[in-house]
Amino acid sequence: MCGIVGALAERNVTAILLEGLKRLEYRGYDSAGLAVVNKDQQLQRRRAQGKVAEVEKRLEAEPMKGHLGVAHTRWATHGVPSEANAHPHLSSDELALVHNGIIENYLELKSRLTKAGYRFTSDTDTEVVAHLVHQLYQEKQDLTVAVEAAIQQLEGAYALAVIHQDQPQKLVCARKGSPLVIGVGMGEYFCASDPLALLQVTDRFIYLEEGDLATLTLDQHAILDRQGQAVEREICQWQHGNQAAEKGSYKHFMLKEIHEQPAVLAATLEGRLSDRRVLPQALGAKAMELLPRVKQVQIVACGTSYHAGMVARYWIEKLAGIPCQVEVASEYRYREVVVAENALFVTLSQSGETADTLAALRFAKEAGYLASLTICNVPGSSLVRESDMSLMTQAGPEIGVASTKAFTTQLTALLLLTLALRRAAQASNQDADDPLEAELVEALRALPRLAEETLQLDAEIEKLSEDFAEKHHALFLGRGSHFPIALEGALKLKEISYIHAEAYPAGELKHGPLALVDKEMPVIAVAPRDDLVDKLKSNLQEVRARGGELFVFADPVTLLEPEEGMQVLHLPEVHEVLAPILYTLPLQLLSYHVAVLKGTDVDQPRNLAKSVTVE
Ligand code: G6P
């Protein structure tokens, strides 16, 4: 959370920094600011509470120019969202610093620096780092050396970018626990929390590794690793185009991303299926060797990604016959876990930078797992780099804070993993034909088309959403592998429309939530064709008998039809194993339309951020 941009060029960088902030706004949007060193070698700063547009207005009123600068969009951790707490933080009006992460020993450092005469003007942990670097700069007279000495004293997580007006040719940045990339231009350099921020100026990136410190000058970069040794890091070419970061004709990124699903599901499957099976190479050479040894699977993730893991548990136990556990990362990482022999540790993450998930992986690496695998959407992210194996979802950049296409591509990748585990666990001859696998491969191929058909329900769902705009609560029901889909539907609705929503396995209704049901409580159910649908129908009757208003997304073969107190929308017929992927789509559209009716900020809901790189 929080987005950082830095730039050093021969041209004025203010507009580059501002555009970078706009592209990073998904990471945090409660305040923003920029600082540049102007032609008189003086530091200037503009900050504002609220979104980047506010600081843009400030800049229009009071323009500033410079060829070296840093900028930041904030998601508050220490101190309320306010101009005083907005970054960049200055020290003695000479040095400016932006930070993403949390400095855990900031109080101790603050008291020391206060005694040394530094005056604090914010409640942030970041300001201590600015003063600390400044103090060390006084002594060392070199910004790189000062930052290097300062980070030795920091406990916690950080991505930092620092400038000093006395060194107008130097941008120093460092990372530990929070992401940072360097953008390589022609005679200019940039840094940012995410390459997306810099696609306007470059498509060549260096992904800094944990503990790296980089010094950028106009024509070269120098990187020191965590041991202080000079290292070379690869320059990677961005392969994903620039369009993904634009809304195009869509009103919101979320709507665009919902509608991209047919294409990105197809991209996630591309090159990974043969006629009747998942290609053995789909998961990489290491997986081919390791998967036959897997006797248990532990999945760890956060938020929407966690829901994808919950679906996968049903698949892995049913189709591969391997025990599977799923846990949210923030719990898992602090628990004393018992690791079974030959257990595979799997993380799921859109960003690959979620602090809790990353910490869980690091913990797991010490805990005796057979190997680690990440299913992730961002190449070069920390999870991808630190896992033994990775399976990339091909969702492309996801900007809307509420995750949509990342979730359905995660599910698709998880089904590929399930089938690879099934083959590894069950077939003594790895080339044997497996009719069920062949059936599922065929169903997977049809998935993008079915997703397209499902999205055609958009207008009907928009109409349905009118019944929700005045409601304060909603209940989502599902059974089996659709219980996590109900959870995901409820999460989407609360994230973007601020309607309190809960999800239950429909069989639990009678053990409590039924007490809440009356005509003010819309109940949304997903009813695909599966073994549990008759039981679900009985649960729906329990709701109707209490006057509850039902909204059901159903397979036509369930024979669920609209009647008084029950609206039904039919989805295309789909293989029951793949149904969780398809049934997610109408729930995404429903939340979207309810949020639009309520007039909330769909892409940047209050208090949330897309990439949670703090604990
Ligand atoms: C945040 C986002 C969610 C996301 C979760 C996990 O809470 O708002 O949309 O599901 O982080 O993120 P990850 O990048 O690890 O999937």
Side-chain angles (χ1 to χ4, degrees), residues 1 26 29 300-307 347-358 375-378 383 398 400-404 406-407 410 488 491-492 495 605 608-613:
M1 7 242 319
Y26 73 87
Y29 33 82
V300 167
C302 300
T304 290
S305 297
Y306 167 65
H307 294 155
T347 54
L348 309 176
S349 175
Q350 188 286 126
S351 60
E353 301 292 350
T354 301
D356 284 322
T357 312
L358 194 55
I375 293 184
C376 187
N377 195 38
V378 179
L383 279 174
E398 191 182 63
V401 165
S403 185
T404 53
F407 178 68
Q410 276 171 347
E488 176 57 13
L491 178 64
K492 284 290 88 86
E495 277 179 318
L608 300 180
K610 177 122 198 98
S611 186
V612 185
T613 51

Short mmCIF file of all heavy atoms in Angstrom, two decimals, residues 1 26 29 300-307 347-358 375-378 383 398 400-404 406-407 410 488 491-492 495 605 608-613, ligand 1:
data_model
loop_
_atom_site.label_atom_id
_atom_site.label_comp_id
_atom_site.label_asym_id
_atom_site.label_seq_id
_atom_site.Cartn_x
_atom_site.Cartn_y
_atom_site.Cartn_z
N MET A 1 0.85 -1.14 0.00
CA MET A 1 0.00 0.00 0.00
C MET A 1 0.90 1.21 0.00
O MET A 1 2.04 1.09 0.35
CB MET A 1 -0.85 0.02 1.24
CG MET A 1 -0.49 -1.02 2.21
SD MET A 1 -1.78 -2.10 2.49
CE MET A 1 -3.18 -1.16 2.56
N TYR A 26 -4.28 3.16 -7.06
CA TYR A 26 -4.95 1.96 -6.53
C TYR A 26 -4.28 1.47 -5.25
O TYR A 26 -4.85 0.75 -4.47
CB TYR A 26 -4.94 0.85 -7.59
CG TYR A 26 -3.59 0.22 -7.79
CD1 TYR A 26 -3.19 -0.84 -6.99
CD2 TYR A 26 -2.70 0.69 -8.74
CE1 TYR A 26 -1.94 -1.41 -7.15
CE2 TYR A 26 -1.46 0.13 -8.90
CZ TYR A 26 -1.08 -0.92 -8.10
OH TYR A 26 0.15 -1.48 -8.23
N TYR A 29 -4.99 6.08 -1.41
CA TYR A 29 -5.53 7.30 -2.00
C TYR A 29 -6.09 8.24 -0.96
O TYR A 29 -7.11 8.85 -1.16
CB TYR A 29 -6.57 6.96 -3.07
CG TYR A 29 -7.39 5.70 -2.80
CD1 TYR A 29 -8.48 5.72 -1.94
CD2 TYR A 29 -7.04 4.49 -3.39
CE1 TYR A 29 -9.22 4.58 -1.69
CE2 TYR A 29 -7.76 3.33 -3.14
CZ TYR A 29 -8.85 3.38 -2.29
OH TYR A 29 -9.58 2.25 -2.04
N VAL A 300 -2.09 -20.98 1.35
CA VAL A 300 -2.13 -19.80 2.20
C VAL A 300 -2.33 -18.56 1.31
O VAL A 300 -1.67 -18.43 0.27
CB VAL A 300 -0.83 -19.70 3.03
CG1 VAL A 300 -0.71 -18.34 3.68
CG2 VAL A 300 -0.80 -20.78 4.10
N ALA A 301 -3.24 -17.68 1.70
CA ALA A 301 -3.51 -16.47 0.91
C ALA A 301 -4.32 -15.49 1.74
O ALA A 301 -4.67 -15.78 2.89
CB ALA A 301 -4.28 -16.85 -0.37
N CYS A 302 -4.63 -14.34 1.15
CA CYS A 302 -5.44 -13.32 1.83
C CYS A 302 -6.60 -12.89 0.92
O CYS A 302 -6.47 -12.95 -0.30
CB CYS A 302 -4.63 -12.05 2.09
SG CYS A 302 -3.20 -12.29 3.10
N GLY A 303 -7.66 -12.39 1.53
CA GLY A 303 -8.75 -11.74 0.80
C GLY A 303 -9.36 -12.65 -0.25
O GLY A 303 -9.64 -13.83 0.00
N THR A 304 -9.55 -12.08 -1.42
CA THR A 304 -10.15 -12.83 -2.52
C THR A 304 -9.32 -14.06 -2.87
O THR A 304 -9.87 -15.13 -3.16
CB THR A 304 -10.29 -11.88 -3.74
OG1 THR A 304 -11.30 -10.93 -3.42
CG2 THR A 304 -10.65 -12.60 -4.99
N SER A 305 -8.01 -13.92 -2.83
CA SER A 305 -7.15 -15.06 -3.16
C SER A 305 -7.40 -16.22 -2.20
O SER A 305 -7.33 -17.40 -2.59
CB SER A 305 -5.68 -14.64 -3.09
OG SER A 305 -5.42 -13.65 -4.05
N TYR A 306 -7.71 -15.90 -0.95
CA TYR A 306 -8.01 -16.94 0.03
C TYR A 306 -9.27 -17.72 -0.40
O TYR A 306 -9.33 -18.95 -0.29
CB TYR A 306 -8.18 -16.30 1.41
CG TYR A 306 -8.79 -17.20 2.46
CD1 TYR A 306 -8.10 -18.34 2.90
CD2 TYR A 306 -10.04 -16.93 3.01
CE1 TYR A 306 -8.65 -19.17 3.86
CE2 TYR A 306 -10.59 -17.76 3.97
CZ TYR A 306 -9.90 -18.89 4.40
OH TYR A 306 -10.45 -19.71 5.34
N HIS A 307 -10.25 -16.99 -0.93
CA HIS A 307 -11.46 -17.68 -1.38
C HIS A 307 -11.15 -18.64 -2.53
O HIS A 307 -11.74 -19.72 -2.64
CB HIS A 307 -12.53 -16.67 -1.81
CG HIS A 307 -13.04 -15.86 -0.66
ND1 HIS A 307 -13.58 -14.61 -0.80
CD2 HIS A 307 -13.07 -16.13 0.68
CE1 HIS A 307 -13.93 -14.14 0.39
NE2 HIS A 307 -13.61 -15.03 1.30
N THR A 347 1.08 -20.62 -2.24
CA THR A 347 0.54 -19.28 -1.98
C THR A 347 -0.23 -18.81 -3.21
O THR A 347 0.14 -19.14 -4.34
CB THR A 347 1.65 -18.25 -1.69
OG1 THR A 347 2.59 -18.28 -2.76
CG2 THR A 347 2.35 -18.54 -0.38
N LEU A 348 -1.28 -18.04 -2.96
CA LEU A 348 -2.07 -17.46 -4.05
C LEU A 348 -2.06 -15.97 -3.86
O LEU A 348 -2.33 -15.48 -2.76
CB LEU A 348 -3.53 -17.93 -3.97
CG LEU A 348 -3.77 -19.43 -3.85
CD1 LEU A 348 -5.26 -19.70 -3.69
CD2 LEU A 348 -3.26 -20.13 -5.11
N SER A 349 -1.78 -15.24 -4.93
CA SER A 349 -1.75 -13.79 -4.78
C SER A 349 -1.83 -13.12 -6.14
O SER A 349 -1.13 -13.51 -7.07
CB SER A 349 -0.46 -13.38 -4.07
OG SER A 349 -0.37 -11.98 -4.01
N GLN A 350 -2.68 -12.13 -6.24
CA GLN A 350 -2.70 -11.33 -7.46
C GLN A 350 -1.39 -10.57 -7.57
O GLN A 350 -0.67 -10.67 -8.55
CB GLN A 350 -3.88 -10.35 -7.40
CG GLN A 350 -4.16 -9.57 -8.68
CD GLN A 350 -3.18 -8.45 -8.96
OE1 GLN A 350 -2.59 -8.41 -10.04
NE2 GLN A 350 -2.96 -7.57 -8.02
N SER A 351 -1.05 -9.81 -6.53
CA SER A 351 0.07 -8.87 -6.61
C SER A 351 1.43 -9.54 -6.43
O SER A 351 2.44 -9.04 -6.92
CB SER A 351 -0.08 -7.82 -5.51
OG SER A 351 -0.08 -8.47 -4.24
N GLY A 352 1.46 -10.62 -5.66
CA GLY A 352 2.74 -11.23 -5.32
C GLY A 352 3.52 -10.44 -4.28
O GLY A 352 4.69 -10.72 -4.02
N GLU A 353 2.87 -9.44 -3.68
CA GLU A 353 3.58 -8.58 -2.73
C GLU A 353 2.84 -8.49 -1.38
O GLU A 353 3.28 -7.73 -0.52
CB GLU A 353 3.75 -7.16 -3.29
CG GLU A 353 4.51 -7.07 -4.59
CD GLU A 353 6.00 -7.42 -4.45
OE1 GLU A 353 6.49 -7.57 -3.32
OE2 GLU A 353 6.65 -7.58 -5.50
N THR A 354 1.76 -9.20 -1.21
CA THR A 354 0.98 -9.07 0.03
C THR A 354 1.86 -9.49 1.22
O THR A 354 2.38 -10.60 1.26
CB THR A 354 -0.29 -9.93 -0.07
OG1 THR A 354 -1.01 -9.47 -1.20
CG2 THR A 354 -1.15 -9.81 1.17
N ALA A 355 2.00 -8.56 2.16
CA ALA A 355 3.00 -8.74 3.23
C ALA A 355 2.76 -10.04 4.02
O ALA A 355 3.70 -10.79 4.30
CB ALA A 355 2.98 -7.54 4.16
N ASP A 356 1.50 -10.30 4.39
CA ASP A 356 1.23 -11.49 5.21
C ASP A 356 1.53 -12.77 4.43
O ASP A 356 2.05 -13.74 4.99
CB ASP A 356 -0.23 -11.49 5.68
CG ASP A 356 -0.44 -10.50 6.83
OD1 ASP A 356 0.46 -10.37 7.68
OD2 ASP A 356 -1.51 -9.86 6.86
N THR A 357 1.18 -12.78 3.16
CA THR A 357 1.40 -13.99 2.35
C THR A 357 2.90 -14.23 2.17
O THR A 357 3.38 -15.37 2.26
CB THR A 357 0.69 -13.86 0.99
OG1 THR A 357 -0.65 -13.40 1.22
CG2 THR A 357 0.65 -15.17 0.24
N LEU A 358 3.60 -13.14 1.95
CA LEU A 358 5.06 -13.25 1.77
C LEU A 358 5.72 -13.73 3.07
O LEU A 358 6.60 -14.61 3.04
CB LEU A 358 5.59 -11.87 1.36
CG LEU A 358 6.98 -11.76 0.81
CD1 LEU A 358 7.16 -12.68 -0.38
CD2 LEU A 358 7.25 -10.31 0.37
N ILE A 375 0.87 -19.25 -7.09
CA ILE A 375 0.02 -18.94 -8.25
C ILE A 375 -0.19 -17.44 -8.19
O ILE A 375 -0.78 -16.93 -7.23
CB ILE A 375 -1.30 -19.74 -8.20
CG1 ILE A 375 -0.96 -21.22 -8.39
CG2 ILE A 375 -2.28 -19.24 -9.26
CD1 ILE A 375 -2.14 -22.16 -8.47
N CYS A 376 0.35 -16.74 -9.15
CA CYS A 376 0.51 -15.30 -9.00
C CYS A 376 0.28 -14.60 -10.33
O CYS A 376 0.45 -15.18 -11.39
CB CYS A 376 1.93 -15.05 -8.48
SG CYS A 376 2.22 -13.34 -8.05
N ASN A 377 -0.06 -13.32 -10.26
CA ASN A 377 -0.37 -12.58 -11.49
C ASN A 377 0.74 -11.63 -11.91
O ASN A 377 0.69 -11.08 -13.00
CB ASN A 377 -1.68 -11.79 -11.29
CG ASN A 377 -2.25 -11.29 -12.59
OD1 ASN A 377 -2.19 -12.00 -13.60
ND2 ASN A 377 -2.76 -10.09 -12.59
N VAL A 378 1.73 -11.41 -11.04
CA VAL A 378 2.73 -10.39 -11.38
C VAL A 378 4.12 -11.03 -11.52
O VAL A 378 4.72 -11.44 -10.53
CB VAL A 378 2.75 -9.26 -10.33
CG1 VAL A 378 3.80 -8.23 -10.67
CG2 VAL A 378 1.37 -8.60 -10.24
N LEU A 383 6.78 -12.87 -4.35
CA LEU A 383 6.37 -14.27 -4.18
C LEU A 383 6.92 -15.15 -5.29
O LEU A 383 7.35 -16.27 -5.05
CB LEU A 383 4.84 -14.38 -4.14
CG LEU A 383 4.15 -14.06 -2.81
CD1 LEU A 383 2.64 -14.08 -2.97
CD2 LEU A 383 4.56 -15.03 -1.71
N GLU A 398 -4.33 -5.72 -12.90
CA GLU A 398 -5.67 -5.51 -12.34
C GLU A 398 -5.60 -4.24 -11.50
O GLU A 398 -4.79 -4.16 -10.57
CB GLU A 398 -6.08 -6.71 -11.49
CG GLU A 398 -7.54 -6.68 -11.10
CD GLU A 398 -7.93 -7.85 -10.20
OE1 GLU A 398 -7.39 -7.94 -9.07
OE2 GLU A 398 -8.75 -8.67 -10.62
N GLY A 400 -8.66 -2.20 -10.47
CA GLY A 400 -9.76 -2.06 -9.50
C GLY A 400 -9.34 -2.72 -8.19
O GLY A 400 -8.80 -3.82 -8.20
N VAL A 401 -9.60 -2.04 -7.08
CA VAL A 401 -9.17 -2.60 -5.79
C VAL A 401 -9.88 -3.93 -5.52
O VAL A 401 -9.27 -4.87 -5.01
CB VAL A 401 -9.41 -1.56 -4.66
CG1 VAL A 401 -9.33 -2.21 -3.29
CG2 VAL A 401 -8.36 -0.45 -4.77
N ALA A 402 -11.16 -4.01 -5.87
CA ALA A 402 -11.87 -5.27 -5.68
C ALA A 402 -11.46 -6.23 -6.79
O ALA A 402 -11.62 -5.96 -7.98
CB ALA A 402 -13.37 -5.02 -5.72
N SER A 403 -10.90 -7.36 -6.40
CA SER A 403 -10.32 -8.29 -7.36
C SER A 403 -11.41 -9.05 -8.12
O SER A 403 -12.37 -9.54 -7.53
CB SER A 403 -9.44 -9.26 -6.58
OG SER A 403 -8.77 -10.10 -7.46
N THR A 404 -11.27 -9.14 -9.43
CA THR A 404 -12.27 -9.87 -10.25
C THR A 404 -11.58 -10.88 -11.16
O THR A 404 -11.57 -12.07 -10.88
CB THR A 404 -13.10 -8.88 -11.10
OG1 THR A 404 -12.21 -8.04 -11.84
CG2 THR A 404 -14.03 -8.06 -10.23
N ALA A 406 -8.51 -11.46 -11.53
CA ALA A 406 -7.41 -12.19 -10.88
C ALA A 406 -7.96 -13.45 -10.21
O ALA A 406 -7.33 -14.51 -10.22
CB ALA A 406 -6.71 -11.31 -9.85
N PHE A 407 -9.16 -13.33 -9.63
CA PHE A 407 -9.77 -14.46 -8.92
C PHE A 407 -10.11 -15.61 -9.88
O PHE A 407 -9.76 -16.76 -9.64
CB PHE A 407 -11.03 -13.97 -8.21
CG PHE A 407 -11.79 -15.03 -7.47
CD1 PHE A 407 -11.26 -15.63 -6.33
CD2 PHE A 407 -13.06 -15.43 -7.89
CE1 PHE A 407 -11.97 -16.61 -5.63
CE2 PHE A 407 -13.78 -16.40 -7.19
CZ PHE A 407 -13.23 -16.99 -6.06
N GLN A 410 -7.08 -17.25 -11.14
CA GLN A 410 -6.47 -18.07 -10.08
C GLN A 410 -7.18 -19.43 -10.02
O GLN A 410 -6.55 -20.48 -9.91
CB GLN A 410 -6.63 -17.41 -8.71
CG GLN A 410 -5.57 -16.39 -8.39
CD GLN A 410 -5.91 -15.61 -7.12
OE1 GLN A 410 -7.02 -15.65 -6.61
NE2 GLN A 410 -4.95 -14.88 -6.62
N GLU A 488 -17.10 -14.99 -1.60
CA GLU A 488 -16.51 -14.00 -2.50
C GLU A 488 -17.57 -12.98 -2.95
O GLU A 488 -17.28 -11.78 -3.04
CB GLU A 488 -15.88 -14.73 -3.70
CG GLU A 488 -15.30 -13.85 -4.78
CD GLU A 488 -14.22 -12.87 -4.32
OE1 GLU A 488 -13.72 -12.98 -3.21
OE2 GLU A 488 -13.93 -11.95 -5.11
N LEU A 491 -18.04 -10.63 -0.09
CA LEU A 491 -16.87 -9.74 0.04
C LEU A 491 -16.95 -8.61 -0.99
O LEU A 491 -16.72 -7.44 -0.68
CB LEU A 491 -15.58 -10.55 -0.13
CG LEU A 491 -14.27 -9.75 -0.08
CD1 LEU A 491 -14.07 -9.11 1.29
CD2 LEU A 491 -13.07 -10.64 -0.39
N LYS A 492 -17.27 -8.99 -2.24
CA LYS A 492 -17.36 -7.96 -3.30
C LYS A 492 -18.40 -6.91 -2.92
O LYS A 492 -18.15 -5.72 -3.04
CB LYS A 492 -17.77 -8.57 -4.64
CG LYS A 492 -16.76 -9.33 -5.43
CD LYS A 492 -15.66 -8.52 -6.04
CE LYS A 492 -14.53 -8.35 -5.10
NZ LYS A 492 -13.51 -9.37 -5.03
N GLU A 495 -17.15 -4.72 -0.02
CA GLU A 495 -16.00 -3.88 -0.41
C GLU A 495 -16.43 -2.63 -1.18
O GLU A 495 -15.93 -1.55 -0.91
CB GLU A 495 -15.06 -4.67 -1.34
CG GLU A 495 -14.07 -5.56 -0.65
CD GLU A 495 -13.19 -6.32 -1.64
OE1 GLU A 495 -13.70 -6.80 -2.68
OE2 GLU A 495 -12.00 -6.44 -1.37
N PRO A 605 -12.53 1.89 -3.28
CA PRO A 605 -13.43 1.98 -2.14
C PRO A 605 -12.72 2.51 -0.89
O PRO A 605 -11.51 2.34 -0.73
CB PRO A 605 -13.89 0.54 -1.93
CG PRO A 605 -12.98 -0.32 -2.74
CD PRO A 605 -12.38 0.53 -3.80
N LEU A 608 -9.67 1.02 1.77
CA LEU A 608 -9.00 -0.19 1.26
C LEU A 608 -7.84 0.19 0.34
O LEU A 608 -7.69 1.33 -0.05
CB LEU A 608 -9.99 -1.06 0.49
CG LEU A 608 -11.19 -1.56 1.27
CD1 LEU A 608 -12.08 -2.40 0.38
CD2 LEU A 608 -10.75 -2.36 2.50
N ALA A 609 -7.04 -0.80 0.01
CA ALA A 609 -5.99 -0.60 -0.98
C ALA A 609 -5.80 -1.92 -1.70
O ALA A 609 -6.16 -2.97 -1.18
CB ALA A 609 -4.70 -0.17 -0.32
N LYS A 610 -5.24 -1.84 -2.88
CA LYS A 610 -5.15 -3.05 -3.68
C LYS A 610 -4.04 -3.98 -3.21
O LYS A 610 -4.22 -5.17 -3.08
CB LYS A 610 -4.90 -2.66 -5.14
CG LYS A 610 -4.72 -3.84 -6.04
CD LYS A 610 -5.72 -3.81 -7.14
CE LYS A 610 -5.89 -5.14 -7.82
NZ LYS A 610 -7.04 -5.88 -7.34
N SER A 611 -2.90 -3.39 -2.98
CA SER A 611 -1.75 -4.24 -2.71
C SER A 611 -1.34 -3.97 -1.26
O SER A 611 -0.86 -2.88 -0.94
CB SER A 611 -0.65 -3.84 -3.69
OG SER A 611 0.42 -4.71 -3.56
N VAL A 612 -1.58 -4.94 -0.39
CA VAL A 612 -1.40 -4.68 1.03
C VAL A 612 0.00 -5.12 1.45
O VAL A 612 0.22 -6.25 1.89
CB VAL A 612 -2.50 -5.37 1.86
CG1 VAL A 612 -2.38 -5.00 3.32
CG2 VAL A 612 -3.87 -4.93 1.34
N THR A 613 0.94 -4.19 1.30
CA THR A 613 2.33 -4.55 1.55
C THR A 613 2.75 -4.23 2.98
O THR A 613 3.92 -4.20 3.29
CB THR A 613 3.26 -3.84 0.54
OG1 THR A 613 2.95 -2.46 0.55
CG2 THR A 613 3.06 -4.39 -0.85
C1 G6P B 1 -6.26 -6.63 -0.71
C2 G6P B 1 -7.11 -6.41 -1.93
C3 G6P B 1 -7.91 -7.68 -2.24
C4 G6P B 1 -6.97 -8.87 -2.37
C5 G6P B 1 -6.08 -9.04 -1.14
C6 G6P B 1 -4.98 -10.07 -1.38
O1 G6P B 1 -7.07 -6.76 0.41
O2 G6P B 1 -7.98 -5.32 -1.75
O3 G6P B 1 -8.62 -7.50 -3.45
O4 G6P B 1 -7.72 -10.02 -2.57
O5 G6P B 1 -5.43 -7.80 -0.85
O6 G6P B 1 -4.13 -9.59 -2.38
P1 G6P B 1 -3.22 -10.49 -3.31
O7 G6P B 1 -2.51 -9.51 -4.19
O8 G6P B 1 -2.27 -11.21 -2.39
O9 G6P B 1 -4.10 -11.43 -4.05
#
